[in-house]
Amino acid sequence: MPSQQVVDCVQLLANRRLTFAFVESVTAGRLAAEFALTQATDDCLLGGIVCYHVDTKKNLLHIPAALIEQFTPESPEVTQAITQSLNNHFKTADILVGVTGLAWAGGSETEEKPVGSMFFHLIIQGRHYSHQAVFNGSAENLILQAIDRVAVLIMQYVNSHSS
């Protein structure tokens, strides 16, 4: 069941007749699934791509290996790149959202980038927004917090440019 933030976000987008698409790594499709469980999403959600594995980022989204190697798959730079690449697949979307992050140990975590670090990049009607956060909890809880943050960020940025 989607959170109230997700429900409110989809309702706002439906009311504004804005479409959106996702490219997900750490959330592995859960972001699109949560948004799809809202009643108003039928005319808004165009789709999404799960690029969980680094090979998918490189082969499907054409993210340069050098960028991934320099910054790691879970980074603001790679998140921006996958979000920009999403436009090649969803050219009519008003909003593109990319999410990467670390939900458990064993990846590219460091002291500066601990487990729970999440990276977001949004392109809303051509404007770019980057955001990052560190959440605490189980892997599932981290992913749910990231989904709620996406909803809040979309509402914040959409509302800030409509006044």
Side-chain angles (χ1 to χ4, degrees):
M1 176 160 216
S3 69
Q4 191 60 51
Q5 290 96 325
V6 170
V7 171
D8 292 346
C9 179
V10 173
Q11 192 60 59
L12 171 70
L13 298 178
N15 290 346
R16 303 266 176 94
R17 297 179 186 215
L18 296 172
T19 59
F20 58 95
F22 300 121
V23 60
E24 310 179 53
S25 184
V26 67
T27 51
R30 182 90 182 250
L31 177 61
E34 291 293 318
F35 273 71
L37 289 172
T38 63
Q39 204 168 41
T41 202
D42 285 353
D43 295 324
C44 300
L45 177 59
L46 298 181
I49 295 173
V50 174
C51 62
Y52 193 82
H53 195 273
V54 70
D55 286 345
T56 307
K57 291 173 180 68
K58 289 191 248 182
N59 298 330
L60 179 66
L61 299 173
H62 307 290
I63 306 307
L67 183 74
I68 294 170
E69 289 166 18
Q70 180 179 0
F71 295 106
T72 78
E74 306 84 14
S75 64
E77 295 82 3
V78 170
T79 308
Q80 179 177 348
I82 65 172
T83 308
Q84 289 174 306
S85 179
L86 189 61
N87 190 54
N88 296 326
H89 302 279
F90 297 97
K91 295 182 186 310
T92 62
D94 298 303
I95 300 169
L96 302 169
V97 178
V99 181
T100 69
L102 297 160
W104 42 82
S108 67
E109 74 273 4
T110 64
E111 200 170 300
E112 297 79 33
K113 185 175 70 170
V115 170
S117 297
M118 299 290 170
F119 303 94
F120 310 90
H121 194 85
L122 295 83
I123 304 173
I124 300 178
Q125 296 180 316
R127 294 185 173 129
H128 289 251
Y129 305 94
S130 289
H131 182 77
Q132 60 189 67
V134 179
F135 302 120
N136 294 305
S138 67
E140 182 175 21
N141 191 265
L142 295 171
I143 289 167
L144 292 173
Q145 290 176 74
I147 291 166
D148 285 348
R149 182 63 57 92
V150 166
V152 168
L153 290 170
I154 290 171
M155 289 187 292
Q156 173 188 327
Y157 293 132
V158 166
N159 283 328
S160 73
H161 291 291
S162 63
S163 33

